[in-house]
Amino acid sequence: MFASFALFVVFLGSATGAEDCNPKAVIKTWQTHSPCARREGLGVRIGHGYNINLPHANGDFAVLGIDPIDIRKGVIMQGPGECHCTQSFCLTPEQSERLFQINVDRAQKQILSLIRSISSPMPCCDIQNSLTALTFTFGIDFIKRVPDALSHINNGQWQKLGTALLMQNWCTVTDHCSPLAERIMNGCSDVADNLGCSPPTPKACDPAGQYCCAANNTCCRYSVSQSIRNQAYWCCPLNGAVCCLSSNSCCPKQYPVCCGNTNSCCLVKYPVCCFPGTSQAYCCAASSPVCLGARHCGSLDPNVKPVLGKVNKANQHQPEIVH
């Protein structure tokens, strides 16, 4: 009886350790948030990188009371750019977070169902989180179809699994699969929870911990066309900020609408940017999207009188190179 109790304690400890792994930060490192659907890599994504082409997507949208037809019949953005919610279906911030959590939970359970049955010891969170991030993005079937993947997982052969992942075309055509596969290859030896970053910049921007920011900063990715010194990230000196790819700037969470290639920001309720980047900048509501000047916004309906817009919240934060 004592031996049985000891085995139960060991098993419970291992299971609890697996549940304690939190892959959210790793996933959000690579997934640019977009309230509208946009075509990226191998699929169409919305919210925090949610792939609307995955087989369970319709069921997830139903949980949130969303008709997937509304998403697909709207304008699908091609690459980076501002969402125009009058033309495209846009998620609310709450819907984005709920959809993200649903998919994270599913991906984590699918990975745990694989690694809990392995004959080798439970892998560290670094490997678990990397596998969960890959499953979140591509789906569990992509992982299972990698040659000998299940055998490598069962035997704890993480270097072989990472190598096999890097040989897949679907992995090499994206900008985040390769770093995650490399983390899996490195195994659990000498891997710190903070992904290689340390004070005064403990926040890791990428899974490898190559780019780091202060804890109260937001990691922002450079746009490909405006990359500085071949750096992939820069640090926005605001916590929970919205990164603006087109301008390599950032907006405070209270003013999350980026105004094109300027450093101006608008409220969600006033998403139309008028004269951004100038001293006359202001924002208009979607119902009055015509910029008339002197802070006035006009409607597309000529019978509607002009209304005053909101003063634009300028954002003057410049890119800070991260190591």
Side-chain angles (χ1 to χ4, degrees):
M1 182 174 181
F2 178 79
S4 298
F5 178 74
L7 287 173
F8 174 75
V9 171
V10 171
F11 175 76
L12 181 61
S14 297
T16 302
E19 298 290 356
D20 287 344
C21 294
N22 186 354
K24 292 182 181 180
V26 175
I27 295 173
K28 284 190 175 181
T29 294
W30 295 104
Q31 299 295 349
T32 302
H33 178 263
S34 172
C36 65
R38 65 180 67 241
R39 194 171 302 280
E40 295 180 3
L42 299 177
V44 176
R45 306 187 184 280
I46 194 170
H48 294 286
Y50 185 90
N51 190 341
I52 70 172
N53 295 328
L54 292 177
H56 48 68
N58 287 354
D60 292 344
F61 289 132
V63 171
L64 301 180
I66 297 172
D67 187 344
I69 295 178
D70 291 338
I71 299 177
R72 294 185 173 92
K73 72 180 181 182
V75 174
I76 304 297
M77 299 291 292
Q78 304 293 327
E82 304 299 329
C83 290
H84 299 287
C85 297
T86 56
Q87 302 174 7
S88 304
F89 178 90
C90 288
L91 297 174
T92 66
E94 293 77 15
Q95 289 173 329
S96 290
E97 287 302 321
R98 287 188 63 192
L99 194 60
F100 176 72
Q101 187 63 56
I102 289 172
N103 209 24
V104 169
D105 290 344
R106 177 186 294 108
Q108 194 167 27
K109 288 178 181 178
Q110 290 173 332
I111 289 301
L112 287 177
S113 69
L114 290 180
I115 62 179
R116 275 179 172 161
S117 60
I118 65 178
S119 56
S120 59
M122 184 72 74
C124 61
C125 285
D126 198 60
I127 287 178
Q128 291 186 46
N129 290 343
S130 297
L131 287 170
T132 301
L134 289 172
T135 303
F136 176 96
T137 303
F138 302 104
I140 191 65
D141 290 338
F142 274 78
I143 307 297
K144 291 181 177 179
R145 286 201 293 265
V146 174
D148 299 319
L150 296 181
S151 175
H152 296 329
I153 292 174
N154 183 60
N155 296 313
Q157 297 172 322
W158 307 118
Q159 186 172 12
K160 290 184 177 180
L161 176 61
T163 301
L165 285 167
L166 289 173
M167 296 177 66
Q168 306 304 304
N169 289 334
W170 57 266
C171 186
T172 57
V173 298
T174 63
D175 61 355
H176 61 280
C177 180
S178 295
L180 290 172
E182 290 171 0
R183 287 183 68 189
I184 294 172
M185 288 176 61
N186 291 334
C188 299
S189 59
D190 300 323
V191 178
D193 290 338
N194 61 6
L195 310 181
C197 298
S198 58
T201 55
K203 179 184 289 186
C205 297
D206 65 309
Q210 184 179 0
Y211 305 99
C212 310
C213 289
N216 61 349
N217 284 187
T218 299
C219 295
C220 290
R221 300 200 68 176
Y222 281 115
S223 62
V224 175
S225 61
Q226 295 177 307
S227 180
I228 298 177
R229 301 182 192 175
N230 295 320
Q231 297 289 319
Y233 294 88
W234 63 278
C235 300
C236 168
L238 298 172
N239 193 20
V242 175
C243 301
C244 306
L245 270 179
S246 58
S247 59
N248 287 334
S249 62
C250 58
C251 289
K253 56 186 176 182
Q254 298 88 344
Y255 294 82
V257 179
C258 302
C259 293
N261 60 354
T262 71
N263 58 358
S264 298
C265 312
C266 285
L267 291 163
V268 172
K269 292 183 178 180
Y270 296 85
V272 180
C273 304
C274 297
F275 311 107
T278 71
S279 58
Q280 289 79 37
Y282 63 97
C283 310
C284 290
S287 58
S288 302
V290 181
C291 302
L292 301 177
R295 283 188 56 199
H296 281 83
C297 307
S299 171
L300 296 176
D301 184 349
N303 297 318
V304 177
K305 293 182 178 180
V307 295
L308 277 177
K310 292 291 183 180
V311 175
N312 182 284
K313 180 69 175 182
N315 166 35
Q316 301 296 334
H317 299 295
Q318 299 299 319
E320 176 183 339
I321 300 296
V322 294
H323 65 276

